Amino acid sequence: KQEVTQIPAALSVPEGENLVLNCSFTDSAIYNLQWFRQDPGKGLTSLLLIQSSQREQTSGRLNASLDKSSGRSTLYIAASQPGDSATYLCAVPKAYGQNFVFGPGTRLSVLP
Amino acid sequence: KAGVTQTPRYLIKTRGQQVTLSCSPISGHRSVSWYQQTPGQGLQFLFEYFSETQRNKGNFPGRFSGRQFSNSRSEMNVSTLELGDSALYLCASSLETSFDGYTFGSGTRLTVV
């Protein structure tokens, strides 16, 4: 059974800091992993989708890496801004082509 | 390119009533998945539809049902509402499977009183 955990549960940092969010999953036989952000009361916005053949993906100030063998992914946010404040969730498929299983999220607050 | 559209955005219903939520996926996407999000349980998978057929199902009671139309639009229905059904219901569309990644709608906030 695929289970996903995220550490830390919450994080508060001053503006401008670089930070790392962690995601762990129990079944390493995954085909991809997706990172999302969610603003309070809103839907999920896709940030990065990493296929298992890739080691990392980058979009602007965001960089996500995937290490299947250790069952981990990290999301790196460079030069954080108050607008980055949100909950960040990672998701991996239950099995190939099946539904995503989500972690509980990391709630990020970036203070001006 | 239009995103995933969910309607309505907010609903207030009384215990025992039923409710229907709608989701229009991105044009060309054939898979629609539904999730329930609550503060205590996080995001939980309800079901997935592909080509008008339910392809996967989560662990929810039979009061939760859905369908998909030939244009890929999907509806989910909850009958005999309970207070515990209060949640944010999210719809995600993908081209074929989760391998293609998900795009989510803004969700429907259901409150049962």
Side-chain angles (χ1 to χ4, degrees):
Chain A
K1 179 186 173 187
Q2 182 70 272
E3 294 182 356
V4 183
T5 55
Q6 292 186 246
I7 293 173
L11 184 62
S12 185
V13 299
E15 182 177 5
E17 275 205 6
N18 302 324
L19 53 99
V20 175
L21 307 181
N22 297 291
C23 170
S24 297
F25 43 92
T26 53
D27 184 353
S28 61
I30 63 168
Y31 294 87
N32 59 1
L33 180 147
Q34 194 166 5
W35 281 93
F36 297 88
R37 71 172 274 170
Q38 184 176 32
D39 295 291
K42 302 291 179 62
L44 278 66
T45 300
S46 177
L47 297 173
L48 292 163
L49 172 67
I50 311 175
Q51 302 299 345
S52 60
S53 57
Q54 303 168 314
R55 295 297 301 273
E56 62 180 62
Q57 277 277 27
T58 298
S59 176
R61 294 182 294 107
L62 305 178
N63 176 276
S65 64
L66 175 60
D67 183 347
K68 280 182 55 177
S69 61
S70 66
R72 292 181 185 176
S73 175
T74 60
L75 178 67
Y76 175 83
I77 302 176
S80 58
Q81 303 171 357
D84 295 330
S85 298
T87 296
Y88 290 79
L89 300 109
C90 68
V92 295
K94 180 181 175 182
Y96 181 80
Q98 290 199 13
N99 59 281
F100 272 120
V101 177
F102 284 82
T106 293
R107 190 171 68 253
L108 173 66
S109 297
V110 180
L111 307 175
Chain B
K1 172 167 155 176
V4 179
T5 303
Q6 287 190 248
T7 57
R9 288 296 311 278
Y10 303 94
L11 268 177
I12 300 176
K13 290 286 187 178
T14 304
R15 270 183 305 174
Q17 287 187 313
Q18 74 167 17
V19 67
T20 299
L21 313 182
S22 178
C23 173
S24 293
I26 290 173
S27 177
H29 284 197
R30 297 168 65 193
S31 169
V32 174
S33 298
W34 289 89
Y35 284 80
Q36 180 195 66
Q37 187 178 34
T38 58
Q41 298 296 319
L43 275 152
Q44 294 199 296
F45 173 70
L46 283 154
F47 30 65
E48 180 206 5
Y49 284 86
F50 179 83
S51 291
E52 302 180 64
T53 301
Q54 188 180 87
R55 185 161 65 177
N56 288 299
K57 187 177 187 305
N59 296 321
F60 277 80
R63 301 186 296 107
F64 292 81
S65 63
R67 58 178 176 169
Q68 186 180 36
F69 302 94
S70 58
N71 61 357
S72 293
R73 188 177 73 85
S74 178
E75 290 181 346
M76 68 163 281
N77 183 277
V78 187
S79 62
T80 319
L81 284 165
E82 301 176 0
L83 295 179
D85 297 333
S86 295
L88 181 65
Y89 289 87
L90 292 161
C91 154
S93 85
S94 60
L95 199 59
E96 301 271 336
T97 71
S98 62
F99 185 77
D100 305 305
Y102 278 1
T103 301
F104 277 88
S106 299
T108 294
R109 169 73 64 184
L110 172 64
T111 302
V112 183
V113 298

PDB file of all heavy atoms in Angstrom, chain B residues 1 4 25-32 50 68 71-73 92-96 100-103:
ATOM      1  N   LYS B   1      -6.161  28.131 -23.311  1.00  0.00           N
ATOM      2  CA  LYS B   1      -6.823  26.837 -23.131  1.00  0.00           C
ATOM      3  C   LYS B   1      -7.534  26.828 -21.788  1.00  0.00           C
ATOM      4  O   LYS B   1      -6.952  27.124 -20.755  1.00  0.00           O
ATOM      5  CB  LYS B   1      -5.717  25.785 -23.196  1.00  0.00           C
ATOM      6  CG  LYS B   1      -6.091  24.398 -22.857  1.00  0.00           C
ATOM      7  CD  LYS B   1      -4.929  23.475 -23.314  1.00  0.00           C
ATOM      8  CE  LYS B   1      -4.934  22.194 -22.504  1.00  0.00           C
ATOM      9  NZ  LYS B   1      -3.905  21.251 -22.959  1.00  0.00           N
ATOM     10  N   VAL B   4      -9.879  23.297 -15.793  1.00  0.00           N
ATOM     11  CA  VAL B   4     -10.917  22.407 -15.296  1.00  0.00           C
ATOM     12  C   VAL B   4     -11.967  23.262 -14.585  1.00  0.00           C
ATOM     13  O   VAL B   4     -11.610  24.062 -13.715  1.00  0.00           O
ATOM     14  CB  VAL B   4     -10.318  21.373 -14.326  1.00  0.00           C
ATOM     15  CG1 VAL B   4     -11.411  20.461 -13.795  1.00  0.00           C
ATOM     16  CG2 VAL B   4      -9.212  20.578 -15.011  1.00  0.00           C
ATOM     17  N   PRO B  25     -13.653  18.737 -17.738  1.00  0.00           N
ATOM     18  CA  PRO B  25     -12.191  18.642 -17.817  1.00  0.00           C
ATOM     19  C   PRO B  25     -11.624  19.517 -18.926  1.00  0.00           C
ATOM     20  O   PRO B  25     -12.370  20.116 -19.697  1.00  0.00           O
ATOM     21  CB  PRO B  25     -11.965  17.160 -18.127  1.00  0.00           C
ATOM     22  CG  PRO B  25     -13.179  16.763 -18.900  1.00  0.00           C
ATOM     23  CD  PRO B  25     -14.311  17.566 -18.299  1.00  0.00           C
ATOM     24  N   ILE B  26     -10.324  19.576 -18.973  1.00  0.00           N
ATOM     25  CA  ILE B  26      -9.628  20.268 -20.051  1.00  0.00           C
ATOM     26  C   ILE B  26      -9.970  19.578 -21.368  1.00  0.00           C
ATOM     27  O   ILE B  26     -10.047  18.338 -21.427  1.00  0.00           O
ATOM     28  CB  ILE B  26      -8.108  20.249 -19.807  1.00  0.00           C
ATOM     29  CG1 ILE B  26      -7.767  21.153 -18.618  1.00  0.00           C
ATOM     30  CG2 ILE B  26      -7.325  20.679 -21.048  1.00  0.00           C
ATOM     31  CD1 ILE B  26      -6.331  21.079 -18.176  1.00  0.00           C
ATOM     32  N   SER B  27     -10.166  20.381 -22.397  1.00  0.00           N
ATOM     33  CA  SER B  27     -10.510  19.817 -23.696  1.00  0.00           C
ATOM     34  C   SER B  27      -9.458  18.801 -24.141  1.00  0.00           C
ATOM     35  O   SER B  27      -8.249  19.077 -24.112  1.00  0.00           O
ATOM     36  CB  SER B  27     -10.600  20.947 -24.724  1.00  0.00           C
ATOM     37  OG  SER B  27     -10.870  20.442 -25.995  1.00  0.00           O
ATOM     38  N   GLY B  28      -9.915  17.624 -24.519  1.00  0.00           N
ATOM     39  CA  GLY B  28      -9.006  16.569 -24.953  1.00  0.00           C
ATOM     40  C   GLY B  28      -8.622  15.597 -23.847  1.00  0.00           C
ATOM     41  O   GLY B  28      -8.111  14.505 -24.135  1.00  0.00           O
ATOM     42  N   HIS B  29      -8.854  15.978 -22.604  1.00  0.00           N
ATOM     43  CA  HIS B  29      -8.580  15.062 -21.492  1.00  0.00           C
ATOM     44  C   HIS B  29      -9.737  14.090 -21.352  1.00  0.00           C
ATOM     45  O   HIS B  29     -10.908  14.482 -21.361  1.00  0.00           O
ATOM     46  CB  HIS B  29      -8.396  15.840 -20.182  1.00  0.00           C
ATOM     47  CG  HIS B  29      -7.076  16.516 -20.073  1.00  0.00           C
ATOM     48  ND1 HIS B  29      -6.574  16.967 -18.864  1.00  0.00           N
ATOM     49  CD2 HIS B  29      -6.147  16.822 -21.008  1.00  0.00           C
ATOM     50  CE1 HIS B  29      -5.384  17.517 -19.075  1.00  0.00           C
ATOM     51  NE2 HIS B  29      -5.110  17.446 -20.366  1.00  0.00           N
ATOM     52  N   ARG B  30      -9.408  12.823 -21.181  1.00  0.00           N
ATOM     53  CA  ARG B  30     -10.439  11.797 -21.140  1.00  0.00           C
ATOM     54  C   ARG B  30     -10.666  11.208 -19.752  1.00  0.00           C
ATOM     55  O   ARG B  30     -11.636  10.499 -19.534  1.00  0.00           O
ATOM     56  CB  ARG B  30     -10.066  10.685 -22.115  1.00  0.00           C
ATOM     57  CG  ARG B  30     -10.022  11.151 -23.570  1.00  0.00           C
ATOM     58  CD  ARG B  30      -9.373  10.127 -24.474  1.00  0.00           C
ATOM     59  NE  ARG B  30     -10.164   8.898 -24.544  1.00  0.00           N
ATOM     60  CZ  ARG B  30      -9.712   7.762 -25.065  1.00  0.00           C
ATOM     61  NH1 ARG B  30      -8.484   7.686 -25.532  1.00  0.00           N
ATOM     62  NH2 ARG B  30     -10.491   6.697 -25.117  1.00  0.00           N
ATOM     63  N   SER B  31      -9.737  11.481 -18.828  1.00  0.00           N
ATOM     64  CA  SER B  31      -9.863  10.926 -17.482  1.00  0.00           C
ATOM     65  C   SER B  31     -10.264  12.023 -16.507  1.00  0.00           C
ATOM     66  O   SER B  31      -9.703  13.115 -16.517  1.00  0.00           O
ATOM     67  CB  SER B  31      -8.530  10.303 -17.043  1.00  0.00           C
ATOM     68  OG  SER B  31      -8.554   9.998 -15.663  1.00  0.00           O
ATOM     69  N   VAL B  32     -11.234  11.711 -15.647  1.00  0.00           N
ATOM     70  CA  VAL B  32     -11.658  12.624 -14.586  1.00  0.00           C
ATOM     71  C   VAL B  32     -11.638  11.856 -13.269  1.00  0.00           C
ATOM     72  O   VAL B  32     -12.235  10.777 -13.162  1.00  0.00           O
ATOM     73  CB  VAL B  32     -13.074  13.173 -14.838  1.00  0.00           C
ATOM     74  CG1 VAL B  32     -13.534  14.002 -13.645  1.00  0.00           C
ATOM     75  CG2 VAL B  32     -13.094  14.012 -16.109  1.00  0.00           C
ATOM     76  N   PHE B  50     -13.149   7.157 -17.051  1.00  0.00           N
ATOM     77  CA  PHE B  50     -12.417   7.218 -18.321  1.00  0.00           C
ATOM     78  C   PHE B  50     -13.321   6.630 -19.396  1.00  0.00           C
ATOM     79  O   PHE B  50     -13.818   5.507 -19.241  1.00  0.00           O
ATOM     80  CB  PHE B  50     -11.112   6.426 -18.220  1.00  0.00           C
ATOM     81  CG  PHE B  50     -10.301   6.419 -19.489  1.00  0.00           C
ATOM     82  CD1 PHE B  50      -9.463   7.477 -19.778  1.00  0.00           C
ATOM     83  CD2 PHE B  50     -10.385   5.366 -20.385  1.00  0.00           C
ATOM     84  CE1 PHE B  50      -8.709   7.487 -20.948  1.00  0.00           C
ATOM     85  CE2 PHE B  50      -9.636   5.371 -21.555  1.00  0.00           C
ATOM     86  CZ  PHE B  50      -8.797   6.435 -21.838  1.00  0.00           C
ATOM     87  N   GLN B  68     -19.801   9.727 -16.195  1.00  0.00           N
ATOM     88  CA  GLN B  68     -19.103  10.550 -17.169  1.00  0.00           C
ATOM     89  C   GLN B  68     -19.854  10.496 -18.479  1.00  0.00           C
ATOM     90  O   GLN B  68     -20.347   9.433 -18.887  1.00  0.00           O
ATOM     91  CB  GLN B  68     -17.659  10.071 -17.358  1.00  0.00           C
ATOM     92  CG  GLN B  68     -16.821  10.985 -18.252  1.00  0.00           C
ATOM     93  CD  GLN B  68     -15.399  10.489 -18.430  1.00  0.00           C
ATOM     94  OE1 GLN B  68     -15.161   9.288 -18.502  1.00  0.00           O
ATOM     95  NE2 GLN B  68     -14.449  11.415 -18.502  1.00  0.00           N
ATOM     96  N   ASN B  71     -18.819  13.647 -23.716  1.00  0.00           N
ATOM     97  CA  ASN B  71     -17.916  14.790 -23.919  1.00  0.00           C
ATOM     98  C   ASN B  71     -16.884  14.891 -22.786  1.00  0.00           C
ATOM     99  O   ASN B  71     -16.205  15.912 -22.660  1.00  0.00           O
ATOM    100  CB  ASN B  71     -18.707  16.092 -24.013  1.00  0.00           C
ATOM    101  CG  ASN B  71     -19.491  16.402 -22.757  1.00  0.00           C
ATOM    102  OD1 ASN B  71     -19.493  15.613 -21.814  1.00  0.00           O
ATOM    103  ND2 ASN B  71     -20.172  17.539 -22.743  1.00  0.00           N
ATOM    104  N   SER B  72     -16.782  13.847 -21.970  1.00  0.00           N
ATOM    105  CA  SER B  72     -15.848  13.718 -20.836  1.00  0.00           C
ATOM    106  C   SER B  72     -16.268  14.491 -19.595  1.00  0.00           C
ATOM    107  O   SER B  72     -15.634  14.320 -18.549  1.00  0.00           O
ATOM    108  CB  SER B  72     -14.404  14.103 -21.213  1.00  0.00           C
ATOM    109  OG  SER B  72     -13.880  13.169 -22.125  1.00  0.00           O
ATOM    110  N   ARG B  73     -17.279  15.310 -19.682  1.00  0.00           N
ATOM    111  CA  ARG B  73     -17.776  15.969 -18.475  1.00  0.00           C
ATOM    112  C   ARG B  73     -18.234  14.911 -17.472  1.00  0.00           C
ATOM    113  O   ARG B  73     -18.724  13.851 -17.858  1.00  0.00           O
ATOM    114  CB  ARG B  73     -18.922  16.908 -18.798  1.00  0.00           C
ATOM    115  CG  ARG B  73     -19.367  17.782 -17.622  1.00  0.00           C
ATOM    116  CD  ARG B  73     -20.475  18.746 -18.049  1.00  0.00           C
ATOM    117  NE  ARG B  73     -21.758  18.081 -18.252  1.00  0.00           N
ATOM    118  CZ  ARG B  73     -22.630  17.834 -17.288  1.00  0.00           C
ATOM    119  NH1 ARG B  73     -22.361  18.169 -16.039  1.00  0.00           N
ATOM    120  NH2 ARG B  73     -23.780  17.243 -17.589  1.00  0.00           N
ATOM    121  N   ALA B  92     -10.098  16.345 -10.819  1.00  0.00           N
ATOM    122  CA  ALA B  92      -8.830  16.452 -11.535  1.00  0.00           C
ATOM    123  C   ALA B  92      -8.980  15.807 -12.899  1.00  0.00           C
ATOM    124  O   ALA B  92      -9.565  14.727 -13.020  1.00  0.00           O
ATOM    125  CB  ALA B  92      -7.717  15.755 -10.760  1.00  0.00           C
ATOM    126  N   SER B  93      -8.451  16.457 -13.915  1.00  0.00           N
ATOM    127  CA  SER B  93      -8.486  15.847 -15.242  1.00  0.00           C
ATOM    128  C   SER B  93      -7.078  15.492 -15.684  1.00  0.00           C
ATOM    129  O   SER B  93      -6.098  16.138 -15.287  1.00  0.00           O
ATOM    130  CB  SER B  93      -9.183  16.746 -16.261  1.00  0.00           C
ATOM    131  OG  SER B  93      -8.314  17.712 -16.831  1.00  0.00           O
ATOM    132  N   SER B  94      -6.966  14.434 -16.456  1.00  0.00           N
ATOM    133  CA  SER B  94      -5.693  14.050 -17.053  1.00  0.00           C
ATOM    134  C   SER B  94      -5.953  13.522 -18.451  1.00  0.00           C
ATOM    135  O   SER B  94      -7.066  13.104 -18.776  1.00  0.00           O
ATOM    136  CB  SER B  94      -4.959  13.005 -16.205  1.00  0.00           C
ATOM    137  OG  SER B  94      -5.719  11.838 -16.055  1.00  0.00           O
ATOM    138  N   LEU B  95      -4.907  13.527 -19.257  1.00  0.00           N
ATOM    139  CA  LEU B  95      -5.045  13.142 -20.653  1.00  0.00           C
ATOM    140  C   LEU B  95      -5.580  11.703 -20.754  1.00  0.00           C
ATOM    141  O   LEU B  95      -6.601  11.443 -21.382  1.00  0.00           O
ATOM    142  CB  LEU B  95      -3.679  13.245 -21.335  1.00  0.00           C
ATOM    143  CG  LEU B  95      -3.656  13.316 -22.845  1.00  0.00           C
ATOM    144  CD1 LEU B  95      -4.438  14.513 -23.352  1.00  0.00           C
ATOM    145  CD2 LEU B  95      -2.208  13.390 -23.353  1.00  0.00           C
ATOM    146  N   GLU B  96      -4.881  10.786 -20.109  1.00  0.00           N
ATOM    147  CA  GLU B  96      -5.279   9.384 -20.135  1.00  0.00           C
ATOM    148  C   GLU B  96      -5.259   8.774 -18.740  1.00  0.00           C
ATOM    149  O   GLU B  96      -6.211   8.152 -18.313  1.00  0.00           O
ATOM    150  CB  GLU B  96      -4.342   8.573 -21.046  1.00  0.00           C
ATOM    151  CG  GLU B  96      -4.292   9.033 -22.490  1.00  0.00           C
ATOM    152  CD  GLU B  96      -5.341   8.340 -23.334  1.00  0.00           C
ATOM    153  OE1 GLU B  96      -5.774   7.237 -22.962  1.00  0.00           O
ATOM    154  OE2 GLU B  96      -5.735   8.909 -24.369  1.00  0.00           O
ATOM    155  N   ASP B 100       0.149  11.021 -16.890  1.00  0.00           N
ATOM    156  CA  ASP B 100       0.189  12.309 -17.589  1.00  0.00           C
ATOM    157  C   ASP B 100       0.104  13.496 -16.639  1.00  0.00           C
ATOM    158  O   ASP B 100       0.182  14.648 -17.079  1.00  0.00           O
ATOM    159  CB  ASP B 100      -0.971  12.389 -18.588  1.00  0.00           C
ATOM    160  CG  ASP B 100      -0.984  11.218 -19.545  1.00  0.00           C
ATOM    161  OD1 ASP B 100       0.049  10.998 -20.208  1.00  0.00           O
ATOM    162  OD2 ASP B 100      -2.013  10.508 -19.615  1.00  0.00           O
ATOM    163  N   GLY B 101      -0.085  13.226 -15.355  1.00  0.00           N
ATOM    164  CA  GLY B 101      -0.233  14.303 -14.385  1.00  0.00           C
ATOM    165  C   GLY B 101      -1.669  14.778 -14.280  1.00  0.00           C
ATOM    166  O   GLY B 101      -2.486  14.560 -15.183  1.00  0.00           O
ATOM    167  N   TYR B 102      -1.979  15.407 -13.170  1.00  0.00           N
ATOM    168  CA  TYR B 102      -3.321  15.911 -12.904  1.00  0.00           C
ATOM    169  C   TYR B 102      -3.367  17.429 -13.039  1.00  0.00           C
ATOM    170  O   TYR B 102      -2.419  18.126 -12.671  1.00  0.00           O
ATOM    171  CB  TYR B 102      -3.715  15.615 -11.456  1.00  0.00           C
ATOM    172  CG  TYR B 102      -4.236  14.239 -11.136  1.00  0.00           C
ATOM    173  CD1 TYR B 102      -4.355  13.244 -12.083  1.00  0.00           C
ATOM    174  CD2 TYR B 102      -4.613  13.935  -9.825  1.00  0.00           C
ATOM    175  CE1 TYR B 102      -4.835  11.989 -11.733  1.00  0.00           C
ATOM    176  CE2 TYR B 102      -5.098  12.699  -9.478  1.00  0.00           C
ATOM    177  CZ  TYR B 102      -5.210  11.727 -10.438  1.00  0.00           C
ATOM    178  OH  TYR B 102      -5.680  10.486 -10.085  1.00  0.00           O
ATOM    179  N   THR B 103      -4.526  17.933 -13.512  1.00  0.00           N
ATOM    180  CA  THR B 103      -4.867  19.348 -13.423  1.00  0.00           C
ATOM    181  C   THR B 103      -6.169  19.434 -12.645  1.00  0.00           C
ATOM    182  O   THR B 103      -7.153  18.796 -13.037  1.00  0.00           O
ATOM    183  CB  THR B 103      -5.037  19.986 -14.813  1.00  0.00           C
ATOM    184  OG1 THR B 103      -3.826  19.841 -15.557  1.00  0.00           O
ATOM    185  CG2 THR B 103      -5.361  21.472 -14.664  1.00  0.00           C
TER     186      THR B 103
END
